[in-house]
Amino acid sequence: MVQSLRKMPLYIVGLLLLIFTGYPFVYMISTSLKDKSAFFEEPFAILGSIELGNYADVFQMGLTRYFLNSILVSVAAVVAVMLIAALASYPLSRMNYRFNRALFLLFISGMMLPIHATLIPIFKLSQNMGLYDSLLALLGPYIAFSLPISIFILTQFMQEIPKSLEEAAKIDGCSHFGIFWRIILPMLTPALMTVFIYNFIHLWNEFIFALVLVSSPENMTLPLGLQDFYGEFSVNVPGLMAALTLASLPMLVVYLFSQEKVVKGLTGGAVKG
Amino acid sequence: METAEVTRRSETTRVVASAKKRNIRKAVTIGLFTAPALIVYLVYVVYPILSTLSYSFYSWDGTSDKTFIGLENYVQLFNDTIFWTSLTNNIWVVITSVFVQIPLGMIMALMLFAPIRGIRLFSSVYFLPFLMSTVAIGLLWVYMFDPINGIINQLVNLLGFENVAWLSDENTALIAILLVVVWQFSPFYMILFKAAMVGISEELYESAQIDGANARQKFFHITLPLLMPTIVSSSILAIVGSLKAFDIFYIMTGGGPNHATELMGTYMFKQAFINFNMGYASAIAFIMFLIALIVTVLIQIVDYNRKKKGAF
């Protein structure tokens, strides 16, 4: 009894934090299930009527298109980043040459870079290349801005692979490309997983490049589409909440099924091991 | 002929020649491995920054011809009260990140080790905010802060206060958004601290127990000092991240009301893509870059000295 009384403050803090972090999700989902009149009558009722009509509305307004666009551009960019970053990380971490350190710093310094410093030239560049207002316009900046963290994660990981392995391969007449493909890349899988999760989630949520480089609804990614919905749905709160719920759903589902991987991936190089 | 000459060469030159050949081969290999990343990076990162710098010396609407005006954009910028407001607001984001988010993240991480029931469920929920897209978070909280229908004012009423027009009141808009920023990022720091806490040896606590230390002493004499490296690296991430803040502010208030929540990022965006003052916007963007650069270099110097001293 005394023991459990002593723990009271812990329970209180724990519950307060639970409400603080969790309540907005409860509000979002419960609102998305209300019809408009129910929302105005009882905006805070958690379990009331269950009305799936809002979700149908949201799909009718083109959410599917935004989903597909987001998946397409995020996956394409992340796959390209995984390959390009792994290639660049190989000499950066396993070969000695004069510009090694400088090149590494050049790539890594991209992590602190404010995107705004590149925004106008990239906007002009996409116009000049005829890519403006297409998903392709997003691909270049998405790859480029995912490189720093990816190279950071991959070089750290590659440095820990023992050199003896590739020396043995070299004696067997393996070229650097051979070593990379047959020895390093297969061992890199956990690090590539981290790179994939980190960049995918960041690109899935990316907003500012999409805002600047895409204008027509059929090319919008999910965050941009949500913002567009906001303009049209501002009086239909349950409809907007349905859109927000759907947009958050993929991440939540992935998180539920592989919490540890997602947490590790999202914290990127910051958490080792 | 060629082969005859080669055979006539002395042993030493042959070694030098083959070393040279090997060096060229090595350079080609390195080049091939690095080229794809380097090209993308040069085109989309390095060249744009240099372009931004050069645009900042022009008066330009983005489509017609540029007019060179030297440093005039910068002179104007330093006399622009909106720019100073936005810089101040950026600093508020930094301060909140370091002094609210990080301590809160630490408390959340400590809670994960608390001997209470249901803590596994708690920890899963605590992380959720960090998974949501910033745009979705912004839109969700706009409704939570709604003056009439929002839950926040419901709470305010419950405590016996009048309704507050959170996001449309100049005095409260910044605080409201900062609360959302805290909500979004505290879980991230929680994870960093959790990882660090897992690494602290149990034996330390056991021997402290034997010496009769209480929970508070254990925290201040064991946990906190050992978390110092994490506190430092979290602060670096928080500072650098805060200087880049944009999405949540753009979504929730667009920098308003009356620039009360303007950031360098939102101001630059408006100047560039709404007012089409591309030259002026480039000057703002380049200042943002310089600030980030200076802060990063300063942090590196401080960090280097700290490590050299062997402190934590």
Side-chain angles (χ1 to χ4, degrees), chain A residues 7 10-11 14 20 44 84 96-97 106-107 110-111 116-117 121 124 129 205 240 255 259, chain B residues 26 30 37 41 44 48 52 62 111 115 117 124 126-127 131 133 143 149 154 183 244 265:
Chain A
K7 284 182 186 168
L10 283 181
Y11 276 106
F20 177 61
F44 308 113
I84 293 176
N96 284 320
Y97 55 100
L106 178 72
F107 279 126
M111 278 198 273
H116 287 78
K124 293 309 288 180
M129 295 198 290
N205 294 334
L240 185 70
Y255 174 66
Q259 268 191 40
Chain B
K26 190 176 159 190
I30 291 167
Y41 199 72
Y44 285 102
T52 296
M111 282 308 295
R117 259 185 236 175
S124 305
Y126 289 177
F127 191 69
L131 286 172
S133 89
Y143 288 96
N149 283 321
Q154 209 73 14
W183 183 80
K244 297 197 262 190

mmCIF file of all heavy atoms in Angstrom, chain A residues 7 10-11 14 20 44 84 96-97 106-107 110-111 116-117 121 124 129 205 240 255 259, chain B residues 26 30 37 41 44 48 52 62 111 115 117 124 126-127 131 133 143 149 154 183 244 265:
data_model
loop_
_atom_site.group_PDB
_atom_site.id
_atom_site.type_symbol
_atom_site.label_atom_id
_atom_site.label_comp_id
_atom_site.label_asym_id
_atom_site.label_seq_id
_atom_site.Cartn_x
_atom_site.Cartn_y
_atom_site.Cartn_z
ATOM 1 N N LYS A 7 4.444 5.489 -5.458
ATOM 2 C CA LYS A 7 4.543 5.543 -6.905
ATOM 3 C C LYS A 7 3.535 6.503 -7.531
ATOM 4 O O LYS A 7 3.589 6.743 -8.728
ATOM 5 C CB LYS A 7 4.349 4.144 -7.493
ATOM 6 C CG LYS A 7 5.573 3.262 -7.328
ATOM 7 C CD LYS A 7 5.322 1.926 -7.963
ATOM 8 C CE LYS A 7 6.466 0.961 -7.694
ATOM 9 N NZ LYS A 7 6.081 -0.407 -8.079
ATOM 10 N N LEU A 10 4.732 9.180 -9.910
ATOM 11 C CA LEU A 10 5.191 8.599 -11.177
ATOM 12 C C LEU A 10 4.015 8.345 -12.105
ATOM 13 O O LEU A 10 4.054 8.664 -13.283
ATOM 14 C CB LEU A 10 5.930 7.295 -10.928
ATOM 15 C CG LEU A 10 7.357 7.405 -10.413
ATOM 16 C CD1 LEU A 10 7.963 6.024 -10.244
ATOM 17 C CD2 LEU A 10 8.202 8.242 -11.348
ATOM 18 N N TYR A 11 2.937 7.751 -11.527
ATOM 19 C CA TYR A 11 1.752 7.489 -12.346
ATOM 20 C C TYR A 11 1.164 8.782 -12.888
ATOM 21 O O TYR A 11 0.738 8.865 -14.034
ATOM 22 C CB TYR A 11 0.697 6.726 -11.534
ATOM 23 C CG TYR A 11 0.925 5.234 -11.513
ATOM 24 C CD1 TYR A 11 1.414 4.600 -10.388
ATOM 25 C CD2 TYR A 11 0.660 4.480 -12.654
ATOM 26 C CE1 TYR A 11 1.636 3.227 -10.374
ATOM 27 C CE2 TYR A 11 0.868 3.113 -12.661
ATOM 28 C CZ TYR A 11 1.359 2.489 -11.518
ATOM 29 O OH TYR A 11 1.572 1.140 -11.534
ATOM 30 N N GLY A 14 3.402 10.131 -15.625
ATOM 31 C CA GLY A 14 3.262 9.233 -16.769
ATOM 32 C C GLY A 14 1.968 9.452 -17.517
ATOM 33 O O GLY A 14 1.950 9.529 -18.744
ATOM 34 N N PHE A 20 -0.798 14.277 -23.006
ATOM 35 C CA PHE A 20 -0.169 15.316 -23.835
ATOM 36 C C PHE A 20 0.223 14.766 -25.208
ATOM 37 O O PHE A 20 -0.076 15.359 -26.236
ATOM 38 C CB PHE A 20 1.057 15.870 -23.101
ATOM 39 C CG PHE A 20 1.829 16.906 -23.876
ATOM 40 C CD1 PHE A 20 1.222 18.105 -24.259
ATOM 41 C CD2 PHE A 20 3.164 16.708 -24.196
ATOM 42 C CE1 PHE A 20 1.929 19.073 -24.962
ATOM 43 C CE2 PHE A 20 3.881 17.668 -24.905
ATOM 44 C CZ PHE A 20 3.263 18.852 -25.288
ATOM 45 N N PHE A 44 -16.055 17.192 -28.464
ATOM 46 C CA PHE A 44 -15.038 16.454 -27.705
ATOM 47 C C PHE A 44 -15.446 15.041 -27.329
ATOM 48 O O PHE A 44 -14.681 14.324 -26.706
ATOM 49 C CB PHE A 44 -14.649 17.233 -26.454
ATOM 50 C CG PHE A 44 -14.268 18.631 -26.767
ATOM 51 C CD1 PHE A 44 -15.029 19.697 -26.346
ATOM 52 C CD2 PHE A 44 -13.152 18.872 -27.565
ATOM 53 C CE1 PHE A 44 -14.679 20.988 -26.688
ATOM 54 C CE2 PHE A 44 -12.800 20.158 -27.911
ATOM 55 C CZ PHE A 44 -13.568 21.227 -27.473
ATOM 56 N N ILE A 84 23.592 5.609 -54.556
ATOM 57 C CA ILE A 84 24.587 6.664 -54.763
ATOM 58 C C ILE A 84 25.413 6.894 -53.497
ATOM 59 O O ILE A 84 26.633 7.024 -53.544
ATOM 60 C CB ILE A 84 23.880 7.974 -55.184
ATOM 61 C CG1 ILE A 84 23.246 7.818 -56.561
ATOM 62 C CG2 ILE A 84 24.862 9.122 -55.211
ATOM 63 C CD1 ILE A 84 22.444 9.038 -56.988
ATOM 64 N N ASN A 96 42.452 5.490 -48.792
ATOM 65 C CA ASN A 96 43.162 6.707 -48.396
ATOM 66 C C ASN A 96 43.521 7.519 -49.616
ATOM 67 O O ASN A 96 44.149 7.017 -50.533
ATOM 68 C CB ASN A 96 44.459 6.342 -47.661
ATOM 69 C CG ASN A 96 44.149 5.899 -46.252
ATOM 70 O OD1 ASN A 96 43.292 6.487 -45.597
ATOM 71 N ND2 ASN A 96 44.812 4.849 -45.824
ATOM 72 N N TYR A 97 43.112 8.759 -49.655
ATOM 73 C CA TYR A 97 43.565 9.654 -50.710
ATOM 74 C C TYR A 97 43.507 11.075 -50.202
ATOM 75 O O TYR A 97 42.959 11.353 -49.137
ATOM 76 C CB TYR A 97 42.767 9.459 -51.996
ATOM 77 C CG TYR A 97 41.271 9.601 -51.853
ATOM 78 C CD1 TYR A 97 40.645 10.786 -52.211
ATOM 79 C CD2 TYR A 97 40.494 8.547 -51.375
ATOM 80 C CE1 TYR A 97 39.275 10.913 -52.100
ATOM 81 C CE2 TYR A 97 39.128 8.683 -51.260
ATOM 82 C CZ TYR A 97 38.523 9.859 -51.618
ATOM 83 O OH TYR A 97 37.172 9.990 -51.498
ATOM 84 N N LEU A 106 32.581 18.127 -47.058
ATOM 85 C CA LEU A 106 31.685 18.796 -48.005
ATOM 86 C C LEU A 106 30.299 18.143 -47.988
ATOM 87 O O LEU A 106 29.282 18.821 -47.918
ATOM 88 C CB LEU A 106 32.277 18.737 -49.414
ATOM 89 C CG LEU A 106 31.420 19.349 -50.516
ATOM 90 C CD1 LEU A 106 31.411 20.861 -50.423
ATOM 91 C CD2 LEU A 106 31.897 18.916 -51.893
ATOM 92 N N PHE A 107 30.294 16.815 -48.013
ATOM 93 C CA PHE A 107 29.010 16.104 -48.001
ATOM 94 C C PHE A 107 28.287 16.288 -46.665
ATOM 95 O O PHE A 107 27.104 16.581 -46.617
ATOM 96 C CB PHE A 107 29.223 14.610 -48.252
ATOM 97 C CG PHE A 107 29.391 14.265 -49.705
ATOM 98 C CD1 PHE A 107 30.493 13.557 -50.148
ATOM 99 C CD2 PHE A 107 28.434 14.634 -50.636
ATOM 100 C CE1 PHE A 107 30.652 13.229 -51.486
ATOM 101 C CE2 PHE A 107 28.573 14.321 -51.974
ATOM 102 C CZ PHE A 107 29.691 13.612 -52.397
ATOM 103 N N GLY A 110 26.245 19.386 -45.523
ATOM 104 C CA GLY A 110 24.875 19.555 -46.015
ATOM 105 C C GLY A 110 23.832 19.361 -44.934
ATOM 106 O O GLY A 110 22.700 19.820 -45.067
ATOM 107 N N MET A 111 24.207 18.667 -43.845
ATOM 108 C CA MET A 111 23.229 18.393 -42.788
ATOM 109 C C MET A 111 22.772 19.649 -42.076
ATOM 110 O O MET A 111 21.663 19.713 -41.584
ATOM 111 C CB MET A 111 23.815 17.407 -41.780
ATOM 112 C CG MET A 111 23.689 15.972 -42.241
ATOM 113 S SD MET A 111 23.898 14.819 -40.890
ATOM 114 C CE MET A 111 25.659 14.621 -40.887
ATOM 115 N N HIS A 116 16.344 26.830 -47.504
ATOM 116 C CA HIS A 116 16.041 28.134 -48.095
ATOM 117 C C HIS A 116 17.201 28.699 -48.896
ATOM 118 O O HIS A 116 16.994 29.418 -49.866
ATOM 119 C CB HIS A 116 15.662 29.121 -46.997
ATOM 120 C CG HIS A 116 14.304 28.854 -46.429
ATOM 121 N ND1 HIS A 116 14.067 27.856 -45.519
ATOM 122 C CD2 HIS A 116 13.117 29.423 -46.680
ATOM 123 C CE1 HIS A 116 12.789 27.844 -45.224
ATOM 124 N NE2 HIS A 116 12.177 28.776 -45.914
ATOM 125 N N ALA A 117 18.419 28.377 -48.486
ATOM 126 C CA ALA A 117 19.593 28.923 -49.169
ATOM 127 C C ALA A 117 19.729 28.387 -50.594
ATOM 128 O O ALA A 117 20.531 28.895 -51.373
ATOM 129 C CB ALA A 117 20.853 28.624 -48.355
ATOM 130 N N PRO A 121 17.483 29.275 -56.607
ATOM 131 C CA PRO A 121 18.199 28.668 -57.743
ATOM 132 C C PRO A 121 17.604 27.321 -58.168
ATOM 133 O O PRO A 121 17.533 27.054 -59.371
ATOM 134 C CB PRO A 121 19.618 28.493 -57.204
ATOM 135 C CG PRO A 121 19.747 29.542 -56.160
ATOM 136 C CD PRO A 121 18.411 29.637 -55.518
ATOM 137 N N LYS A 124 14.554 28.082 -60.201
ATOM 138 C CA LYS A 124 14.921 28.521 -61.558
ATOM 139 C C LYS A 124 15.432 27.336 -62.394
ATOM 140 O O LYS A 124 15.090 27.188 -63.562
ATOM 141 C CB LYS A 124 16.009 29.609 -61.510
ATOM 142 C CG LYS A 124 15.587 30.938 -60.921
ATOM 143 C CD LYS A 124 14.319 31.498 -61.520
ATOM 144 C CE LYS A 124 14.478 32.018 -62.938
ATOM 145 N NZ LYS A 124 13.184 32.556 -63.435
ATOM 146 N N MET A 129 15.121 23.504 -66.834
ATOM 147 C CA MET A 129 15.214 22.124 -67.312
ATOM 148 C C MET A 129 13.858 21.617 -67.787
ATOM 149 O O MET A 129 13.730 20.471 -68.200
ATOM 150 C CB MET A 129 15.750 21.208 -66.203
ATOM 151 C CG MET A 129 17.179 21.531 -65.815
ATOM 152 S SD MET A 129 18.024 20.193 -64.912
ATOM 153 C CE MET A 129 17.210 20.203 -63.365
ATOM 154 N N ASN A 205 7.252 13.268 -45.659
ATOM 155 C CA ASN A 205 6.717 14.450 -44.981
ATOM 156 C C ASN A 205 7.233 15.755 -45.561
ATOM 157 O O ASN A 205 6.853 16.824 -45.093
ATOM 158 C CB ASN A 205 7.078 14.405 -43.496
ATOM 159 C CG ASN A 205 6.399 13.253 -42.785
ATOM 160 O OD1 ASN A 205 5.344 12.792 -43.199
ATOM 161 N ND2 ASN A 205 7.013 12.772 -41.712
ATOM 162 N N LEU A 240 -11.508 17.042 -42.903
ATOM 163 C CA LEU A 240 -10.069 17.301 -42.845
ATOM 164 C C LEU A 240 -9.383 16.302 -41.920
ATOM 165 O O LEU A 240 -8.300 15.790 -42.225
ATOM 166 C CB LEU A 240 -9.813 18.731 -42.376
ATOM 167 C CG LEU A 240 -8.346 19.135 -42.390
ATOM 168 C CD1 LEU A 240 -7.849 19.280 -43.818
ATOM 169 C CD2 LEU A 240 -8.110 20.417 -41.629
ATOM 170 N N TYR A 255 5.038 1.678 -37.923
ATOM 171 C CA TYR A 255 5.595 1.812 -36.571
ATOM 172 C C TYR A 255 5.094 0.700 -35.659
ATOM 173 O O TYR A 255 5.873 0.088 -34.922
ATOM 174 C CB TYR A 255 5.204 3.177 -36.018
ATOM 175 C CG TYR A 255 5.591 3.414 -34.579
ATOM 176 C CD1 TYR A 255 6.930 3.492 -34.201
ATOM 177 C CD2 TYR A 255 4.624 3.586 -33.596
ATOM 178 C CE1 TYR A 255 7.286 3.730 -32.884
ATOM 179 C CE2 TYR A 255 4.968 3.823 -32.280
ATOM 180 C CZ TYR A 255 6.296 3.888 -31.924
ATOM 181 O OH TYR A 255 6.640 4.117 -30.617
ATOM 182 N N GLN A 259 8.454 -1.338 -34.430
ATOM 183 C CA GLN A 259 8.811 -0.179 -33.627
ATOM 184 C C GLN A 259 10.301 0.084 -33.550
ATOM 185 O O GLN A 259 10.760 1.191 -33.766
ATOM 186 C CB GLN A 259 8.292 -0.382 -32.210
ATOM 187 C CG GLN A 259 6.918 0.198 -32.013
ATOM 188 C CD GLN A 259 6.540 0.225 -30.553
ATOM 189 O OE1 GLN A 259 7.347 0.518 -29.686
ATOM 190 N NE2 GLN A 259 5.307 -0.092 -30.269
ATOM 191 N N LYS B 26 43.769 4.270 -59.254
ATOM 192 C CA LYS B 26 43.080 4.501 -57.995
ATOM 193 C C LYS B 26 42.212 5.764 -58.089
ATOM 194 O O LYS B 26 41.052 5.757 -57.666
ATOM 195 C CB LYS B 26 44.130 4.683 -56.888
ATOM 196 C CG LYS B 26 43.549 4.687 -55.493
ATOM 197 C CD LYS B 26 44.675 4.768 -54.470
ATOM 198 C CE LYS B 26 44.168 5.290 -53.148
ATOM 199 N NZ LYS B 26 45.273 5.593 -52.223
ATOM 200 N N ILE B 30 38.248 5.953 -57.531
ATOM 201 C CA ILE B 30 37.616 6.865 -56.567
ATOM 202 C C ILE B 30 36.633 7.770 -57.286
ATOM 203 O O ILE B 30 35.502 7.983 -56.825
ATOM 204 C CB ILE B 30 38.693 7.702 -55.830
ATOM 205 C CG1 ILE B 30 39.505 6.791 -54.918
ATOM 206 C CG2 ILE B 30 38.047 8.823 -55.023
ATOM 207 C CD1 ILE B 30 40.779 7.428 -54.399
ATOM 208 N N ALA B 37 27.253 10.815 -56.659
ATOM 209 C CA ALA B 37 26.886 11.622 -55.498
ATOM 210 C C ALA B 37 27.376 13.059 -55.677
ATOM 211 O O ALA B 37 26.645 14.016 -55.418
ATOM 212 C CB ALA B 37 27.479 11.021 -54.231
ATOM 213 N N TYR B 41 25.143 16.451 -55.864
ATOM 214 C CA TYR B 41 25.383 17.378 -54.768
ATOM 215 C C TYR B 41 25.826 18.747 -55.283
ATOM 216 O O TYR B 41 25.382 19.784 -54.783
ATOM 217 C CB TYR B 41 26.442 16.771 -53.845
ATOM 218 C CG TYR B 41 26.474 17.370 -52.469
ATOM 219 C CD1 TYR B 41 25.456 17.109 -51.552
ATOM 220 C CD2 TYR B 41 27.517 18.198 -52.074
ATOM 221 C CE1 TYR B 41 25.482 17.648 -50.293
ATOM 222 C CE2 TYR B 41 27.554 18.744 -50.812
ATOM 223 C CZ TYR B 41 26.534 18.472 -49.922
ATOM 224 O OH TYR B 41 26.563 19.015 -48.661
ATOM 225 N N TYR B 44 22.634 20.424 -57.040
ATOM 226 C CA TYR B 44 21.484 20.805 -56.228
ATOM 227 C C TYR B 44 21.832 21.414 -54.872
ATOM 228 O O TYR B 44 20.935 21.827 -54.141
ATOM 229 C CB TYR B 44 20.559 19.607 -56.026
ATOM 230 C CG TYR B 44 19.765 19.283 -57.263
ATOM 231 C CD1 TYR B 44 20.128 18.230 -58.094
ATOM 232 C CD2 TYR B 44 18.672 20.067 -57.632
ATOM 233 C CE1 TYR B 44 19.413 17.947 -59.246
ATOM 234 C CE2 TYR B 44 17.952 19.793 -58.776
ATOM 235 C CZ TYR B 44 18.319 18.731 -59.575
ATOM 236 O OH TYR B 44 17.615 18.464 -60.714
ATOM 237 N N PRO B 48 23.530 25.969 -56.169
ATOM 238 C CA PRO B 48 22.464 26.869 -55.701
ATOM 239 C C PRO B 48 22.916 27.852 -54.623
ATOM 240 O O PRO B 48 22.489 29.006 -54.629
ATOM 241 C CB PRO B 48 21.405 25.915 -55.150
ATOM 242 C CG PRO B 48 21.595 24.669 -55.924
ATOM 243 C CD PRO B 48 23.077 24.559 -56.123
ATOM 244 N N THR B 52 22.610 31.740 -55.019
ATOM 245 C CA THR B 52 21.880 32.575 -54.066
ATOM 246 C C THR B 52 22.725 33.789 -53.692
ATOM 247 O O THR B 52 22.235 34.912 -53.656
ATOM 248 C CB THR B 52 21.518 31.759 -52.809
ATOM 249 O OG1 THR B 52 20.619 30.720 -53.190
ATOM 250 C CG2 THR B 52 20.846 32.617 -51.762
ATOM 251 N N GLY B 62 12.556 37.787 -60.737
ATOM 252 C CA GLY B 62 12.522 36.352 -61.047
ATOM 253 C C GLY B 62 12.316 36.059 -62.519
ATOM 254 O O GLY B 62 12.655 34.972 -62.978
ATOM 255 N N MET B 111 10.921 8.443 -17.501
ATOM 256 C CA MET B 111 9.646 7.764 -17.240
ATOM 257 C C MET B 111 9.625 6.351 -17.830
ATOM 258 O O MET B 111 8.973 5.462 -17.299
ATOM 259 C CB MET B 111 8.481 8.566 -17.827
ATOM 260 C CG MET B 111 8.057 9.775 -17.026
ATOM 261 S SD MET B 111 7.742 9.395 -15.301
ATOM 262 C CE MET B 111 6.335 8.297 -15.461
ATOM 263 N N PRO B 115 9.219 2.293 -12.530
ATOM 264 C CA PRO B 115 8.647 0.979 -12.195
ATOM 265 C C PRO B 115 7.130 1.049 -12.072
ATOM 266 O O PRO B 115 6.566 0.800 -11.016
ATOM 267 C CB PRO B 115 9.291 0.664 -10.839
ATOM 268 C CG PRO B 115 9.544 2.002 -10.237
ATOM 269 C CD PRO B 115 9.780 2.962 -11.356
ATOM 270 N N ARG B 117 3.138 0.262 -13.953
ATOM 271 C CA ARG B 117 2.474 -0.628 -14.893
ATOM 272 C C ARG B 117 2.121 0.097 -16.189
ATOM 273 O O ARG B 117 1.853 1.293 -16.189
ATOM 274 C CB ARG B 117 1.190 -1.172 -14.266
ATOM 275 C CG ARG B 117 1.393 -2.579 -13.738
ATOM 276 C CD ARG B 117 0.068 -3.102 -13.256
ATOM 277 N NE ARG B 117 0.213 -3.503 -11.863
ATOM 278 C CZ ARG B 117 -0.801 -3.919 -11.136
ATOM 279 N NH1 ARG B 117 -2.022 -3.918 -11.612
ATOM 280 N NH2 ARG B 117 -0.602 -4.311 -9.906
ATOM 281 N N SER B 124 5.251 3.560 -26.293
ATOM 282 C CA SER B 124 4.842 3.557 -27.697
ATOM 283 C C SER B 124 4.091 4.837 -28.036
ATOM 284 O O SER B 124 4.304 5.428 -29.091
ATOM 285 C CB SER B 124 3.931 2.371 -28.009
ATOM 286 O OG SER B 124 4.562 1.186 -27.629
ATOM 287 N N TYR B 126 4.219 7.754 -26.411
ATOM 288 C CA TYR B 126 5.081 8.931 -26.293
ATOM 289 C C TYR B 126 5.798 9.249 -27.608
ATOM 290 O O TYR B 126 6.090 10.389 -27.899
ATOM 291 C CB TYR B 126 6.156 8.731 -25.212
ATOM 292 C CG TYR B 126 5.650 8.745 -23.788
ATOM 293 C CD1 TYR B 126 6.532 8.504 -22.739
ATOM 294 C CD2 TYR B 126 4.322 9.001 -23.491
ATOM 295 C CE1 TYR B 126 6.095 8.516 -21.421
ATOM 296 C CE2 TYR B 126 3.868 9.001 -22.183
ATOM 297 C CZ TYR B 126 4.760 8.759 -21.156
ATOM 298 O OH TYR B 126 4.324 8.762 -19.862
ATOM 299 N N PHE B 127 6.102 8.220 -28.375
ATOM 300 C CA PHE B 127 6.882 8.452 -29.597
ATOM 301 C C PHE B 127 6.021 8.921 -30.767
ATOM 302 O O PHE B 127 6.535 9.506 -31.720
ATOM 303 C CB PHE B 127 7.649 7.177 -29.986
ATOM 304 C CG PHE B 127 8.664 7.400 -31.073
ATOM 305 C CD1 PHE B 127 9.808 8.148 -30.824
ATOM 306 C CD2 PHE B 127 8.474 6.891 -32.346
ATOM 307 C CE1 PHE B 127 10.746 8.380 -31.819
ATOM 308 C CE2 PHE B 127 9.415 7.115 -33.352
ATOM 309 C CZ PHE B 127 10.544 7.861 -33.083
ATOM 310 N N LEU B 131 6.170 10.791 -35.488
ATOM 311 C CA LEU B 131 5.922 10.069 -36.738
ATOM 312 C C LEU B 131 5.036 10.847 -37.704
ATOM 313 O O LEU B 131 4.991 10.572 -38.887
ATOM 314 C CB LEU B 131 5.212 8.750 -36.441
ATOM 315 C CG LEU B 131 6.040 7.654 -35.828
ATOM 316 C CD1 LEU B 131 5.135 6.512 -35.435
ATOM 317 C CD2 LEU B 131 7.083 7.179 -36.819
ATOM 318 N N SER B 133 3.433 13.792 -40.055
ATOM 319 C CA SER B 133 4.052 14.805 -40.898
ATOM 320 C C SER B 133 3.772 16.187 -40.315
ATOM 321 O O SER B 133 2.732 16.429 -39.708
ATOM 322 C CB SER B 133 3.528 14.720 -42.323
ATOM 323 O OG SER B 133 2.385 15.510 -42.482
ATOM 324 N N TYR B 143 -6.860 23.309 -35.248
ATOM 325 C CA TYR B 143 -8.200 23.070 -34.714
ATOM 326 C C TYR B 143 -8.200 22.876 -33.201
ATOM 327 O O TYR B 143 -9.174 23.184 -32.530
ATOM 328 C CB TYR B 143 -8.856 21.885 -35.438
ATOM 329 C CG TYR B 143 -9.214 22.294 -36.830
ATOM 330 C CD1 TYR B 143 -8.367 22.009 -37.905
ATOM 331 C CD2 TYR B 143 -10.362 23.049 -37.077
ATOM 332 C CE1 TYR B 143 -8.662 22.447 -39.184
ATOM 333 C CE2 TYR B 143 -10.665 23.492 -38.351
ATOM 334 C CZ TYR B 143 -9.816 23.186 -39.394
ATOM 335 O OH TYR B 143 -10.110 23.641 -40.640
ATOM 336 N N ASN B 149 -14.181 26.236 -30.749
ATOM 337 C CA ASN B 149 -14.370 24.794 -30.657
ATOM 338 C C ASN B 149 -13.138 24.027 -30.192
ATOM 339 O O ASN B 149 -13.171 22.813 -30.121
ATOM 340 C CB ASN B 149 -14.798 24.247 -32.022
ATOM 341 C CG ASN B 149 -16.255 24.533 -32.291
ATOM 342 O OD1 ASN B 149 -17.070 24.451 -31.374
ATOM 343 N ND2 ASN B 149 -16.568 24.892 -33.509
ATOM 344 N N GLN B 154 -11.162 24.939 -24.131
ATOM 345 C CA GLN B 154 -12.014 24.177 -23.218
ATOM 346 C C GLN B 154 -11.293 24.015 -21.872
ATOM 347 O O GLN B 154 -11.877 24.200 -20.822
ATOM 348 C CB GLN B 154 -12.283 22.800 -23.849
ATOM 349 C CG GLN B 154 -13.594 22.183 -23.459
ATOM 350 C CD GLN B 154 -14.765 22.887 -24.128
ATOM 351 O OE1 GLN B 154 -14.590 23.668 -25.065
ATOM 352 N NE2 GLN B 154 -15.957 22.650 -23.611
ATOM 353 N N TRP B 183 5.731 19.576 -28.705
ATOM 354 C CA TRP B 183 4.962 18.324 -28.827
ATOM 355 C C TRP B 183 5.583 17.432 -29.891
ATOM 356 O O TRP B 183 5.738 16.229 -29.710
ATOM 357 C CB TRP B 183 3.511 18.669 -29.191
ATOM 358 C CG TRP B 183 2.593 17.486 -29.271
ATOM 359 C CD1 TRP B 183 2.013 16.851 -28.209
ATOM 360 C CD2 TRP B 183 2.137 16.813 -30.452
ATOM 361 N NE1 TRP B 183 1.227 15.820 -28.664
ATOM 362 C CE2 TRP B 183 1.283 15.777 -30.038
ATOM 363 C CE3 TRP B 183 2.370 16.986 -31.815
ATOM 364 C CZ2 TRP B 183 0.659 14.905 -30.930
ATOM 365 C CZ3 TRP B 183 1.747 16.135 -32.716
ATOM 366 C CH2 TRP B 183 0.904 15.106 -32.271
ATOM 367 N N LYS B 244 16.384 26.163 -39.047
ATOM 368 C CA LYS B 244 15.774 25.782 -40.317
ATOM 369 C C LYS B 244 14.254 25.756 -40.257
ATOM 370 O O LYS B 244 13.604 25.454 -41.243
ATOM 371 C CB LYS B 244 16.267 24.378 -40.725
ATOM 372 C CG LYS B 244 17.758 24.311 -40.980
ATOM 373 C CD LYS B 244 18.107 23.064 -41.754
ATOM 374 C CE LYS B 244 18.590 21.963 -40.861
ATOM 375 N NZ LYS B 244 19.160 20.837 -41.615
ATOM 376 N N GLY B 265 12.783 31.920 -42.376
ATOM 377 C CA GLY B 265 12.328 31.031 -43.441
ATOM 378 C C GLY B 265 11.012 31.471 -44.066
ATOM 379 O O GLY B 265 10.878 31.522 -45.288
#
